[in-house]
Every structure is written in C-alpha cells, then in structure tokens.
C-alpha cells in the first residue's frame, strides 16, 4: 500500500511470477519505438534521371558489345571459308576470274539456245521454259 492509501502494484523481477501482459509491457519498454526503427533503416531514394540514363547507356553498351562479338565470330567463320583470308587482292582476283568463266559459259549457252530457237522458227524467250529459265535469266 502506498502512503495515500491506494494500492500500487510493484513490478516483479521474477519472470515466473510476472503475468504475460506485464512481461509484454516491460518488453515493449525495452524495445525501440517505431520511429526509431524507421530512422535506423537506410533510406533508399529513387534513382535520379541521371542515374537512370547512366544505367540505360550501360545496358546499351553491353548489348552493342555482344553484337560486336557476334560480328567478329561471323567474320572469323567467313575467313575460314576463304581461300586466301589474309590476301584480299588474291580473293578479288579469284572472284573476277570465276565471273569471267561464268560469263563465257552463259554466252555459249545463250548461243545454243539461240540456234535451237532459230531451227524451230520461234523466239528465244519461247525456248526458255523448256530449260527451266525465265525471261530475265
């Protein structure tokens, strides 16, 4: 009892004699308040437009680097197919020689088709479908 006649309850330090509600109120006094929890956590700000742009540019740069790697891989694949990958002049000369051979063969074929058309008395274009050719071939 207190000096003014009212009964006050003393907090027991023995956990076995303390009620659950008393323990909860004591524990809540020991724990930080909600405002302290918020203040203790780091504040994560939204990325600024500059940071967003920087991230976008980094992504674009990575994509371009991947594309560049793909192009180099394709070039290496093509180089392995060339007869002279280290000598572009030799490659060009070979292509020119092959084009000349192709043109000579095509001219001979056109001449033969012309002779066939003349012997039949028809136009050359009328003979083309028999040989699987079109008018613009």
């Amino acid at each position: 009892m207190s000096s003014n006649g009212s009964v006050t309850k003393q907090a027991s330090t023995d956990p076995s004699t303390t009620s659950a509600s008393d323990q909860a109120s004591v524990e809540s006094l020991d724990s930080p308040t909600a405002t302290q929890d918020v203040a203790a956590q780091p504040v994560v700000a939204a990325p600024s437009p500059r940071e967003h742009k920087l991230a976008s540019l980094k992504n674009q740069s990575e994509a371009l680097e991947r594309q560049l790697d793909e192009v180099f891989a394709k070039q290496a694949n093509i180089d392995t197919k060339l007869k002279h990958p280290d000598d572009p002049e030799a490659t060009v000369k070979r292509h020119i020689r092959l084009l000349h051979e192709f043109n000579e063969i095509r001219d001979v074929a056109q001449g033969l088709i012309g002779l066939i058309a003349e012997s039949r008395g028809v136009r050359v274009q009328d003979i083309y479908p028999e040989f699987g050719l079109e008018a613009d071939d």
Side-chain angles (χ1 to χ4, degrees), residues 49-84:
R50 182 175 181 197
E51 291 170 338
H52 181 69
K53 181 70 173 177
L54 181 62
S56 173
L57 289 173
K58 283 182 181 179
N59 289 339
Q60 287 176 353
S61 174
E62 290 170 359
L64 289 173
E65 286 177 4
R66 285 190 300 272
Q67 280 183 323
L68 187 59
D69 290 341
E70 290 173 11
V71 168
F72 283 140
K74 286 180 183 178
Q75 180 184 6
N77 186 25
I78 290 170
D79 285 347
T80 60
K81 294 178 183 179
L82 293 175
K83 300 285 184 191
H84 306 285

Side-chain angles (χ1 to χ4, degrees), residues 120-131:
R120 292 184 185 174
V122 295
R123 298 179 315 157
V124 171
Q125 291 180 351
D126 295 337
I127 302 291
Y128 276 5
E130 291 180 37
F131 296 101

Side-chain angles (χ1 to χ4, degrees), residues 23-45:
Q23 282 181 349
S25 63
V26 169
E27 287 174 3
S28 68
L29 292 174
D30 291 340
S31 68
T33 62
T35 56
Q36 289 173 335
D37 285 343
V38 172
Q41 296 176 355
V43 177
V44 179

